[in-house]
Amino acid sequence: MQPIQPAPAVSQPSVVIATSTPATMSAPVPVPITCADTPTVSQLVSKPQTGVVDEDGINLEEIREFAKNFKIRRLSLGLTQTQVGQALTATEGPAYSQSAICRFEKLDITPKSAQKLKPVLEKWLNEAELRNQEGQQNLMEFVGGEPSKKRKRRTSFTPQAIEALNAYFEKNALPTGQEITEIAKELNYDREVVRVWFCNRRQTLKNTSKLNVFQIP
């Protein structure tokens, strides 16, 4: 018997396992978010390059002039922003409140909002001025409030008038009503003004006398 020869070794093809290199993950790019506030009329008119008309075709110079004139005319009627706001809120709604009137006069408002407010304010102010021509009471009925109390202008005496009043006071510190009337006519001042002067003068003298008493050693 012939010896059994071992079978030749069959070479197995080597299997190469390729290790996949993980792909590099790129960081996510943030999406820019822009939320710029709409500029106000005041901001736009303060920029020379903007011009008098903005991109929406609104005449900013016209709005600025109207806002300035509106305030002047409102004050000439003796009305406050609160009175105007309350009157307009009652007829037009809360969009025309006192704060809206304040922002409009300061131009702290967007062009579109100003364009919306302008015709309403103009119509209301024209009506208020017509009512005022018929009398203060008619204006207050239109506004829906009491007349605003205006502070009386303080009277300034001339040096000659002060000298004459002091001379009268030296003679008589407590003149009668008739004497006050005669003094007022002579000095060409209102009787009530002269009467108040004598009252104030007596009070000043009284306070000075008390002060002197306390200063006596």
Side-chain angles (χ1 to χ4, degrees), residues 19-37:
T19 305
S20 60
T21 304
T24 304
M25 300 294 292
S26 58
V29 180
V31 179
I33 299 176
T34 58
C35 185
D37 294 332

Side-chain angles (χ1 to χ4, degrees), residues 1-19:
M1 287 183 66
Q2 293 181 351
I4 299 174
Q5 297 293 330
V10 179
S11 61
Q12 297 292 333
S14 59
V15 179
V16 179
I17 300 175
T19 305

Side-chain angles (χ1 to χ4, degrees), residues 56-70:
D56 294 324
I58 301 175
N59 194 318
L60 302 179
E61 187 64 28
E62 181 180 309
I63 291 177
R64 178 168 65 173
E65 284 299 315
F66 175 77
K68 181 175 68 174
N69 291 329
F70 178 86

Side-chain angles (χ1 to χ4, degrees), residues 146-165:
E146 295 296 328
S148 58
K149 295 182 179 179
K150 295 183 178 180
R151 187 175 181 179
K152 292 184 178 180
R153 188 176 180 181
R154 187 173 182 178
T155 302
S156 298
F157 291 100
T158 63
Q160 294 80 6
I162 292 293
E163 184 178 354
L165 287 170

Side-chain angles (χ1 to χ4, degrees), residues 147-194:
S148 58
K149 295 182 179 179
K150 295 183 178 180
R151 187 175 181 179
K152 292 184 178 180
R153 188 176 180 181
R154 187 173 182 178
T155 302
S156 298
F157 291 100
T158 63
Q160 294 80 6
I162 292 293
E163 184 178 354
L165 287 170
N166 282 323
Y168 283 118
F169 188 84
E170 291 293 332
K171 296 178 182 178
N172 183 9
L174 191 61
T176 63
Q178 181 61 33
E179 290 173 335
I180 290 177
T181 301
E182 293 175 357
I183 295 172
K185 287 182 179 180
E186 182 178 343
L187 299 179
N188 197 24
Y189 280 96
D190 186 77
R191 181 186 183 282
E192 182 64 15
V193 172
V194 174

